Amino acid sequence: MLRKLCQECDTEISRTYTTDGFSYTCQACGETAFVEVDMEPYCPDCGERVEFCVKCSAGFFCNSCRAMISSKRIVWKKA
């Protein structure tokens, strides 16, 4: 998956909506320049790669732990 990382501090950039559309701003340093990086989702508990749950479309599933994981808890690592 492509994730947007700040060029200054390497934290993930969030998208904010404005009257002109939307813009990307880093919550940590306020920078607007970003780089798109291909990253893979991993389980925060066991460290194995997880898959998007196609049955419920509500999160990710770890085949090692056999657990559903919220998208907020996912650990992203560069591919």
Side-chain angles (χ1 to χ4, degrees), residues 1 5-6 8 10-11 13 15 21 40 44 46 51 55 67:
M1 290 182 155
L5 299 178
C6 176
E8 294 295 319
D10 280 342
T11 57
I13 289 186
R15 181 168 64 177
E40 299 291 333
C46 69
E51 299 174 355
K55 288 183 180 179

Side-chain angles (χ1 to χ4, degrees), residues 45-63:
D45 301 325
C46 69
E48 294 294 321
R49 191 174 182 288
V50 296
E51 299 174 355
F52 185 71
C53 184
V54 294
K55 288 183 180 179
C56 66
S57 300
F60 291 83
F61 183 75
C62 180
N63 286 322

Side-chain angles (χ1 to χ4, degrees), residues 25-58:
T25 306
C26 178
Q27 298 296 326
C29 66
E31 182 68 34
T32 57
F34 63 88
V35 176
E36 286 189 335
V37 180
D38 189 21
M39 300 184 87
E40 299 291 333
Y42 286 85
C43 178
D45 301 325
C46 69
E48 294 294 321
R49 191 174 182 288
V50 296
E51 299 174 355
F52 185 71
C53 184
V54 294
K55 288 183 180 179
C56 66
S57 300

